[in-house]
Every structure is written in C-alpha cells, then in structure tokens.
Amino acid sequence: MREFIDRFLRMEAASGILLIIAALVALVMANSPLQNLYEHLFDTVVQVRIAGLNIEKPLLLWVNDGLMAIFFLVIGLEVKREILEGALSSREQASLPVFAALGGMVVPAVIYLFFNHQDPVLQSGWAIPAATDIAFALGVMALLGKRVPASLKIFLLALAIADDLGVVLIIALFYSHGMSLTALAWAGAALIGLFILNRRGCSSLTPYMLLGVVLWVAVLKSGVHATIAGVLLGFMIPLRVKGHEHSPLQRLEHALHSVSGYIILPLFAFANAGIGILGAESVFHVSLSLGVMLGLFIGKPVGIFVACVLAVKLKLATLPKGIRWNQIFATAVLAGIGFTMSIFITSLAFPELRVFVDQARLAILMGSFLAACCGYLLLRMTTAPAWGVTHDQK
C-alpha cells in the first residue's frame, strides 16, 4: 500500500485526480443523508482572538480565505520564478501565453455578460468563467504522457500562470469591498518590511513568514480579499541571494507545492463542491448556467485561439517550435477547466446568495467536465504520432 501511494504521488496527474475525488465525495455527501453533517461541518464557527484582534469565521471561510492564501502564495512564487527565469522571462517566450490569457479572460466574460447583462446582481459573476485551473488542466494533459511535446506543456503552464495573475488583479480590483484605511496602513507597513528583507538579501524564510502572517491579517481586515496577501508575499521572496547557493523562493515553493496540490486544493474542492443538485434544479437560472458553462467551454478556447492567431499574424508573438495550430486549439479547450479558481470567484461574486452560488458551481462542474473530456480527446488526436513513424524517427 505504501508503495502504491508513493507511486501515485509521483504522478503528474495526481493533484488533478485528488481534486476530482474530493469534489465527487462532496457531491455525494450533499445529496445523501449525510447532507446535514456536511453543511454543519463547514458552518462551524472558528474563532481566533489575541488581545484586541478577533477573527471569527465559519470553517468554510477559513478554507477560502486562509488556506487558499497559501495556494495563492504558491502562485505568486511560480509567477515570479517564471518571470525572472522561466517561460515568461523574455518577450519572445511570454508574448503568446500573455495574449492567450487575455483572450481567454475577455471572451468568456463577454459571453457571460451577454446572457446576464439585464440582471445587475448576476452581472457581478462576469469573472467566473475567466479563470483556468492550473492543477486540473496540467493533470489532464499529463495523462497523455510523453506524446505531448514539452513546448506544449510549457505553453499551457505559462498561459495558466498569466491567467492566474490576471485573475488576482480582477479579485483585487473588482471583488474587494469596504476598505479600512487603518488595516491598509498595517498591510503597507508589512509590505515595506518584506521589501526591506528582500533588499537586504535575507535568505531565512522565518522573518518573511512572520511578516506574511501580519500582512494576511491586515489584508483580511482591510476589505481587500485575503488571498491577495499570499501573492504579494510570494513576490517579496527573493529568487537569488548573493553568497547563498540555495534559492529561498525555490526552497519555499518546493516545501509548499505538495501541501497546496495534495491537501489545500482537494480540501477546497471538498468544502465548495457540495451542491444539492435537486435543490439547484428547482431554482434553475438558465442565463447564469449558460453564461458560466458556455463561457468556460466555448469562450475560453475561442478567446485563447483567436488571440494567439491575431498575435502571430500581427507579428506580436511567434508560435513555439514544434507546435501546430490544432494543438494550440486542443490546449485552449483544456484551458476551459475553471474548477478551483472559478468556484473561488463564485464565492466572491455572490457572497450572500447561496442559490446563485450553488447554480454557478453546478455550471462550473459541468463546463469544466466538458472541457476536460473534449480537451483530452483533441490533444490525444492532435499529438498522435504520424502513421508508421516512431518518436525516435521524429
């Protein structure tokens, strides 16, 4: 059994598989006699009080605001590393994924608003289909193994990272309410402290983490969504420190990567995917469901593919060597898997409207499922070896 678990965790697709399992378990519990147990578990209020500081939230929000801040910290670390040394480190490498990410956010939002522009409440969900789930999309691609060109995997990774950075900006600009100037001042002071540590070449992660906790609490109390603190902290961790062989950023990323992929994301999926399907059907909002589903399944691939074609035709970017246009389209379909990030934005878009939240989540699951299946099949067809030609001959 131990050997099986070790083998499973070494699989590239393991994180995505765990996400699916967690979501399915949540769906089963929410539509079974265990429904009350499931709902009461995440409605349980957890309080942390230190002197005058009081944080009191349901367990669901501790997952969404607290644990997801760690996930966004990993995103911040990945984005910084890719910008400085990776797939986004040069204009030639970054141009196509960045244009693709922009197209993949704009077109789904337009499709969503096309169906929901007449309802001012539903309009706030415009960003729900604009996100791509990195772990899930890469996990599905990993199921095809070595037949997928390495350059295509890098393109999807860079696209998803640029997409995540865009989503972080959207959350900061459009889903933060009721600003507290005092809390923002504390957050600014924490950021200045982190910046000073970075400039002084501090290689120890402990002071960064301590100031990171202060930053998270301040951002939580400020009205800006708390997960933004994770991204800001990630940007402040130095990639290289003069005189030190090991990278603080890579050390922290390595330490948190498994925790994020194998614990935090499955737990988030379990906490948020428990939708009462019968209840959701009884209050079915056609425009909301169509906006989310078609935004993910149609808007994402169309937006990404058209943006890529325009960028290459206008000589703003180049197509990576060894990649064909049909493979770009197949990857664009796969990027329609919103899942984690889309569910997360749903909780921000409709914080007090459980009916809309459940309906949107159900549409996200359906749209992401269609994107995963079709994206996998298209990738399998477009990456198949030519008839009678082996990989070695290529």
Side-chain angles (χ1 to χ4, degrees):
M1 185 65 178
R2 176 64 179 271
E3 184 181 346
F4 170 78
I5 294 174
D6 288 342
R7 272 203 319 271
F8 174 76
L9 293 178
R10 285 196 295 268
M11 289 173 56
E12 288 184 80
S15 178
I17 293 171
L18 286 176
L19 275 176
I20 297 171
I21 292 172
L24 289 175
V25 171
L27 276 172
V28 170
M29 290 187 68
N31 294 276
S32 74
L34 296 174
Q35 178 184 5
N36 288 335
L37 173 63
Y38 176 84
E39 291 179 353
H40 289 156
L41 171 63
F42 291 105
D43 286 340
T44 302
V45 175
V46 178
Q47 182 182 31
V48 174
R49 189 181 184 94
I50 303 174
L53 174 65
N54 180 44
I55 304 176
E56 186 176 353
K57 291 177 174 289
L59 185 59
L60 176 63
L61 292 185
W62 279 101
V63 173
N64 291 355
D65 294 346
L67 291 182
M68 285 299 283
I70 299 175
F71 167 71
F72 275 82
L73 167 58
V74 175
I75 287 179
L77 296 170
E78 289 178 343
V79 169
K80 181 173 181 177
R81 175 174 49 78
E82 294 295 331
I83 289 175
L84 294 179
E85 294 186 351
L88 302 176
S89 60
S90 69
R91 181 184 176 278
E92 292 75 16
Q93 290 176 301
S95 295
L96 193 65
V98 169
F99 281 114
L102 286 172
M105 288 187 285
V106 171
V107 176
V110 170
I111 288 177
Y112 178 90
L113 289 173
F114 173 79
F115 286 102
N116 297 283
H117 67 279
Q118 294 180 331
D119 190 325
V121 176
L122 290 178
Q123 283 178 19
S124 62
W126 63 271
I128 293 172
T132 294
D133 189 310
I134 292 180
F136 212 146
L138 288 174
V140 173
M141 181 175 276
L143 293 174
L144 292 169
K146 294 181 179 180
R147 65 190 292 154
V148 178
S151 53
L152 197 60
K153 293 180 181 178
I154 293 171
F155 170 75
L156 177 59
L157 177 62
L159 163 62
I161 287 174
D163 182 280
D164 277 348
L165 186 56
V167 169
V168 168
L169 292 174
I170 288 172
I171 292 172
L173 295 174
F174 299 100
Y175 294 104
S176 298
H177 309 286
M179 300 290 186
S180 165
L181 294 180
T182 302
L184 282 175
W186 277 101
L191 272 176
I192 291 172
L194 288 165
F195 180 76
I196 292 172
L197 288 174
N198 182 294
R199 298 303 295 174
R200 284 179 167 267
C202 177
S203 62
S204 172
L205 292 173
T206 301
Y208 289 102
M209 294 300 101
L210 292 175
L211 277 176
V213 173
V214 174
L215 178 63
W216 178 80
V217 173
V219 173
L220 178 71
K221 294 291 187 179
S222 72
V224 178
H225 200 271
T227 51
I228 300 301
V231 179
L232 294 174
L233 175 59
F235 285 164
M236 291 298 173
I237 306 295
L239 178 61
R240 304 289 174 199
V241 176
K242 189 175 181 179
H244 291 78
E245 180 181 352
H246 299 291
S247 163
L249 185 149
Q250 290 179 334
R251 194 163 75 245
L252 182 59
E253 184 182 359
H254 179 74
L256 293 179
H257 192 271
S258 295
V259 174
S260 174
Y262 300 135
I263 298 176
I264 293 175
L265 288 182
L267 183 56
F268 174 84
F270 178 66
N272 288 273
I275 306 161
I277 294 177
L278 295 179
E281 289 177 348
S282 65
V283 289
F284 196 79
H285 298 276
V286 175
S287 62
L288 174 60
S289 297
L290 286 177
V292 172
M293 285 180 58
L294 296 183
L296 287 171
F297 185 54
I298 303 296
K300 268 286 184 182
V302 169
I304 291 170
F305 187 73
V306 170
C308 286
V309 171
L310 288 176
V312 172
K313 295 295 183 184
L314 295 174
K315 300 188 184 304
L316 299 173
T318 57
L319 195 66
K321 292 181 180 179
I323 295 181
R324 301 189 302 273
W325 281 113
N326 58 359
Q327 294 173 335
I328 290 288
F329 182 76
T331 304
V333 173
L334 201 60
I337 303 174
F339 203 70
T340 303
M341 296 298 286
S342 293
I343 289 174
F344 182 73
I345 293 176
T346 299
S347 66
L348 304 181
F350 309 120
E352 306 295 334
L353 299 169
R354 183 61 185 264
V355 170
F356 288 169
V357 169
D358 285 351
Q359 191 65 60
R361 288 176 179 171
L362 185 58
I364 290 166
L365 293 178
M366 295 171 68
S368 296
F369 177 76
L370 287 172
C373 292
C374 293
Y376 174 84
L377 291 174
L378 287 172
L379 269 177
R380 186 173 181 83
M381 288 188 292
T382 57
T383 58
W387 184 261
V389 180
T390 65
H391 285 286
D392 291 338
Q393 289 173 317
K394 285 185 174 181

